[in-house]
Amino acid sequence: MSKTSRSPAQSWAAAGSPRPIVIIGGGSIVADAHLPAYRMAGLPVAGVFDLDAERTAKVAVDWDITPFASLEEAIATENAVFDLALPPVAHQGVIEKLPEGAPALLQKPMGRDLAEATAILKACRERKLTAAVNFQLRFSPMMLAIHDLYKSGALGELVDVELHANIMTPWHLWPFLKGMERVEILLHSIHYLDLMRHFLGDPRGIHAKTLGHPDTTVSQSRTSAILDYPEPVRAVMSVNHNHDFGPKFQDCYFRFEGTKGVAITTLGVNLDYPKGVPDELWFCEKGGDWEEIPLSGTWFPHAFIGVMNNLQRFIAGKDDTLLTSVEDAWNTMALVEAAYESSARPATPIKEKP
């Protein structure tokens, strides 16, 4: 790919004639990402329902959409796509009430552990749902661009993939996390593991360690992981949410290094969260100069457009693949489960001196 023609794709094709979206759940992610994304893309929202009637009313007023008085009223909407913006523990109960054969988008993660993910998968199969999980990092402008560069051959053979995050995350913004047994991998680094699967396929296994920090109230806030792929691939992840020493040396980047080129991107939303900084994407061909590729949007909220467009296009027969289907998402959950199992096992002991 020549420098003059390097303009990788950064958005998913539009749905065309999208079905109305019914949002079930009215938490902060809905107002911060789902609704801004859908409005930006012109995707129709039929209404919203939350168990908290005041929250339902507020979201409806703020976004000028219909407040549903009950789950039954919400799911009675004809020809709808159901957007389940719910905590993982609530997914299965709602899935079992959705109309048979309905399309649905489930907020990640797909359950709190692999057992719940399996139950959700079986429920979706039994209800014959066309269901996807909102692993939307795949659809961010920066990752669509890198994937396009990769598929075009600009990177060559991928040999080294790294996620590095040294950030300060304000966990106090989510008080419900306190007391949860699993936090960091399940709710944050799951995005990175899913993305590595997207580029590299399923690994043979994983070596991982996840742990807390003296200055945080959540169960884990730091993770190191090595994904086991056949040689010559090295895939690693290092995440520290507790770098509370100012912004100077904070960073959050993904590096995709191949035999012909390398792409490095900054995940800006994680720096100075929730305000964030702009995402960046840089590319370099072997022997060439570094070039910044301008981005057309950010992870939040633009990626939420792509994941919904893919679902809408799939049910309309315009996309051949539902990229984050529950069938595929189960494999990400299996990788997460393996990471926790690895972390719970002791490391290989060092031999004692004779």
Side-chain angles (χ1 to χ4, degrees):
M1 181 180 289
S2 68
K3 184 174 180 178
T4 55
S5 65
R6 192 176 298 118
S7 53
Q10 298 185 32
S11 62
W12 202 261
S17 301
R19 296 191 192 184
I21 301 166
V22 171
I23 300 177
I24 301 173
S28 61
I29 192 67
V30 171
D32 292 343
H34 292 243
L35 285 168
Y38 300 159
R39 179 165 291 180
M40 191 182 303
L43 292 164
V45 177
V48 62
F49 169 74
D50 191 278
L51 288 174
D52 185 332
E54 291 184 2
R55 182 179 294 170
T56 299
K58 184 179 188 312
V59 173
V61 169
D62 289 348
W63 291 90
D64 192 25
I65 56 178
T66 299
F68 293 116
S70 66
L71 177 61
E72 289 69 27
E73 182 184 357
I75 64 177
T77 305
E78 294 185 1
N79 202 38
V81 172
F82 298 98
D83 187 357
L84 278 57
L86 299 168
V89 68
H91 281 317
Q92 187 173 355
V94 174
I95 286 168
E96 291 172 349
K97 296 179 181 178
L98 293 181
E100 185 171 311
L105 180 63
L106 283 58
Q107 180 63 26
K108 65 83 188 167
M110 187 180 166
R112 293 171 294 181
D113 52 33
L114 190 60
E116 284 192 359
T118 301
I120 289 169
L121 178 63
K122 290 180 178 178
C124 288
R125 288 173 175 173
E126 289 170 1
R127 299 299 299 161
K128 298 180 172 62
L129 304 182
T130 301
V133 177
N134 208 332
F135 286 126
Q136 78 294 131
L137 180 57
R138 299 188 188 195
F139 294 89
S140 64
M142 55 185 165
M143 295 307 174
L144 288 174
I146 294 174
H147 201 261
D148 196 34
L149 288 170
Y150 175 44
K151 290 301 182 182
S152 75
L155 299 179
E157 180 186 3
L158 269 181
V159 294
D160 216 272
V161 177
E162 177 187 18
L163 178 283
H164 188 274
N166 194 47
I167 56 182
M168 183 60 200
T169 299
W171 296 108
H172 65 275
L173 295 178
W174 307 281
F176 68 91
L177 297 179
K178 189 175 181 179
M180 284 187 63
E181 183 179 351
R182 294 179 171 184
V183 174
E184 203 290 313
I185 301 175
L186 181 68
L187 299 176
H188 182 86
S189 286
I190 188 172
H191 281 298
Y192 313 141
L193 297 176
D194 180 73
L195 194 74
M196 289 183 184
R197 286 191 54 249
H198 179 49
F199 276 84
L200 299 170
D202 290 313
R204 296 178 297 195
I206 187 170
H207 309 277
K209 183 67 176 180
T210 188
L211 65 162
H213 187 277
D215 294 336
T216 189
T217 58
V218 296
S219 55
Q220 307 98 29
S221 58
R222 295 173 294 161
T223 299
S224 297
I226 302 172
L227 283 69
D228 183 14
Y229 285 98
E231 290 189 10
V233 176
R234 185 185 78 112
V236 297
M237 183 178 76
S238 176
V239 180
N240 172 25
H241 290 272
N242 298 97
H243 185 72
D244 194 14
F245 300 95
K248 183 174 178 62
F249 290 106
Q250 288 189 19
D251 61 59
C252 189
Y253 65 84
F254 243 115
R255 177 174 54 85
F256 294 85
E257 188 168 322
T259 54
K260 294 182 179 179
V262 58
I264 297 180
T265 189
T266 298
L267 284 64
V269 71
N270 289 334
L271 301 171
D272 192 24
Y273 190 92
K275 181 181 177 182
V277 303
D279 295 337
E280 289 187 8
L281 174 57
W282 292 82
F283 174 77
C284 183
E285 289 181 326
K286 184 175 287 186
D289 296 325
W290 282 99
E291 170 194 358
E292 183 173 12
I293 298 177
L295 292 171
S296 60
T298 56
W299 180 3
F300 281 55
H302 294 79
F304 290 75
I305 298 173
V307 70
M308 177 55 76
N309 272 337
N310 179 220
L311 176 56
Q312 294 266 6
R313 288 175 59 85
F314 183 78
I315 60 179
K318 296 179 180 179
D319 279 357
D320 294 331
T321 303
L322 185 57
L323 210 60
T324 60
S325 71
V326 288
E327 300 289 342
D328 182 83
W330 187 93
N331 292 339
T332 294
M333 293 300 297
L335 180 55
V336 167
E337 189 74 20
Y340 280 110
E341 291 180 4
S342 175
S343 183
R345 290 195 294 267
T348 302
I350 299 171
K351 301 294 185 183
E352 294 185 3
K353 185 181 294 183

